Amino acid sequence: MVRTRATVRDLRKQNRSVLLTALFLDGPLSRQQLSASTGLSAATASTITGELLDEGLLVEAGSVESDGGRPRVLLRVNPAFGHVIGVDVGETGIKVELFDLAMTRLSTVDQPLGFVEPVAVSELIAAGVGEVLTATGVAASSVLGVGVGVPGTVERGTSAVVHAQTIGWDAVPLEKMIREAGVEPPLFVENGAKTQGQAEMWFGAGRGAGHAVIVLVGSGVGVAVVTDGVVHRGATSNAGEWGHTTIVYGGRRCRCGVRGCLEAYAGAEAMLARYREALRRNDPEADQQSALEALLSSRSAVARRVVDESVGYLGAGIANLVNLFNPERVVLGGWAGLALGARKLDEIVAATADHALRHPYGQVRIELGRTGPDAVAVGAATLPVAALLDSGADPRSARVSGF
């Protein structure tokens, strides 16, 4: 193994990254607080914050009293330095949201989607980006990047390629297609469960946990596994396809083509299909979210049976995650996960306890996500922010793919 010595430039980049990250996630902070929390010397913290203030990346945010002497000036990341856009590509619609650098939501566009066809998706993303910019008067040149959360896995290279077997996407060059549809800012494409995971780790129920599992239950099922604060991706970024682990040998046919997947029992589409089958209906719902709410609210014996079975399957699936990864926290999110968890969290926790090993189960806390049903879009918007924090520099200066 060849070891390379860190250069002064490398060290400066690392120090800028450390300070920006501390200020973004925990600010506003004084220079003294920054030095204490990052381990950098007071002189280094002062020099770098001076640079970042001159560049407009930081601004002063008031002051606090010190233990004698002058008050200490507080610093924060400048909300007006730029903007970020997050896109949630769902199976029934696309959500596009615009934020400033304080992650204040400035505009949202929801676009229904009848069929998840790549060209149509790319064009709707471009249209949504144009709409949120027009609605706010924000110039495209102010956008640090557009993050896109997608179903399936993302293959990284010179341009992001998406593999989503359940919706018929095979090596779709989505980043290239979005660019060709007219989106100019840097693009960051990532699996939607992983973008939700980042939102919950930065701002929600996962904050402060080093080992966490962030569960997404929507039309389908996915997960982000965080170990030592880092999302586990696997050899080719396919890690996290929890929905396609087998829960029933030889069971129901899943959308992926295999039998017995967890998604075929716990995903919203599968729950509604099982309910229709029980009622001997074959007319699929036009609006899954409204249909799931009606199912969860129904007092009929058939509806209760389908929901209770789904709770059991979901709890067993979470128990598998507890046994495999030994997390300190499991966060249940996704629009269907939040709807189900709001009514049945105690039962989901009990089903998890019934199927998990006692010791790892005793170390875990299971709770609902806190970033809401648009967590995928929020997390997608953090992808260009992460590039800013990691590099200590504006991502507009180097068009990069991925996260």
Side-chain angles (χ1 to χ4, degrees):
M1 179 179 178
V2 178
R3 294 186 178 182
T4 58
R5 180 177 296 179
T7 65
V8 172
R9 181 179 177 182
D10 293 333
L11 186 59
R12 178 173 172 271
K13 173 184 172 181
Q14 178 182 333
N15 290 342
R16 285 169 63 97
S17 173
V18 167
L19 284 175
L20 274 174
T21 300
L23 284 167
F24 182 81
L25 295 177
D26 300 316
L29 298 169
S30 69
R31 290 173 176 82
Q32 291 83 353
Q33 290 171 320
L34 273 171
S35 177
S37 66
T38 62
L40 298 176
S41 69
T44 298
S46 181
T47 298
I48 294 176
T49 54
E51 293 175 0
L52 295 171
L53 281 163
D54 290 342
E55 294 168 21
L57 255 169
L58 300 185
V59 290
E60 294 183 357
S63 61
V64 292
E65 295 296 325
S66 62
D67 298 330
R70 294 182 300 173
R72 294 176 177 174
V73 174
L74 295 174
L75 303 173
R76 65 177 298 188
V77 173
N78 182 5
F81 179 77
H83 298 81
V84 290
I85 292 174
V87 180
D88 175 6
V89 178
E91 296 182 32
T92 58
I94 294 176
K95 183 185 292 288
V96 181
E97 297 192 323
L98 174 70
F99 302 83
D100 64 17
L101 271 193
M103 295 307 293
T104 301
R105 186 180 292 102
L106 304 178
S107 181
T108 300
V109 171
D110 286 295
Q111 301 161 307
L113 190 62
F115 179 67
V116 193
E117 199 276 323
V119 172
V121 168
S122 303
E123 291 174 348
L124 283 173
I125 290 172
V129 168
E131 285 187 51
V132 295
L133 294 177
T134 299
T136 55
V138 171
S141 60
S142 177
V143 178
L144 302 185
V146 177
V148 183
V150 297
T153 59
V154 180
E155 180 182 351
R156 306 187 186 286
T158 56
S159 183
V161 173
V162 180
H163 303 268
Q165 187 170 321
T166 57
I167 59 172
W169 286 16
D170 183 16
V172 171
L174 188 66
E175 180 179 352
K176 179 182 177 183
M177 296 173 73
I178 296 171
R179 184 74 64 208
E180 290 173 347
V183 176
E184 297 178 3
L187 286 167
F188 302 78
V189 182
E190 179 58 284
N191 168 265
K194 291 183 175 67
T195 70
Q196 176 193 263
Q198 179 146 303
E200 288 292 344
M201 293 301 294
W202 279 21
F203 312 119
R207 187 173 168 87
H211 300 267
V213 169
I214 317 297
V215 170
L216 184 152
V217 182
S219 296
V221 176
V223 75
V225 177
V226 177
T227 302
D228 285 329
V230 178
V231 174
H232 178 63
R233 299 184 182 282
T236 57
S237 199
N238 280 283
E241 290 295 332
W242 172 58
H244 302 290
T245 56
T246 302
I247 200 77
V248 178
Y249 176 73
R252 294 175 60 85
R253 180 77 67 182
C254 179
R255 299 183 301 169
C256 72
V258 176
R259 289 191 177 276
C261 292
L262 176 64
E263 184 170 297
Y265 294 88
E269 183 175 306
M271 288 177 61
L272 293 169
R274 287 167 44 230
Y275 184 48
R276 288 196 306 272
E277 290 169 11
L279 296 177
R280 298 184 178 180
R281 287 173 34 208
N282 57 11
D283 50 327
E285 300 78 4
D287 181 352
Q288 281 190 12
Q289 296 193 27
S290 297
L292 183 65
E293 285 291 339
L295 172 61
L296 296 176
S297 301
S298 175
R299 297 183 180 181
S300 78
V302 173
R304 288 200 304 270
R305 176 172 57 81
V306 170
V307 172
D308 289 345
E309 287 175 353
S310 301
V311 164
Y313 287 121
L314 182 58
I318 292 173
N320 289 338
L321 294 172
V322 171
N323 292 344
L324 281 169
F325 298 108
N326 187 204
E328 59 192 286
R329 209 166 301 168
V330 172
V331 179
L332 176 58
W335 65 266
L338 292 174
L340 190 60
R343 295 169 171 83
K344 298 286 185 178
L345 184 61
D346 289 346
E347 289 91 333
I348 293 169
V349 171
T352 302
D354 287 343
H355 293 86
L357 294 170
R358 286 192 301 274
H359 184 70
Y361 176 76
Q363 318 304 311
V364 73
R365 186 169 81 238
I366 302 172
E367 57 186 274
L368 286 181
R370 299 177 192 167
T371 51
D374 60 347
V376 172
V378 174
T382 68
L383 301 183
V385 178
L388 169 69
L389 301 182
D390 289 346
S391 66
D394 190 337
R396 288 171 293 191
S397 62
R399 304 224 165 186
V400 291
S401 299
F403 156 47

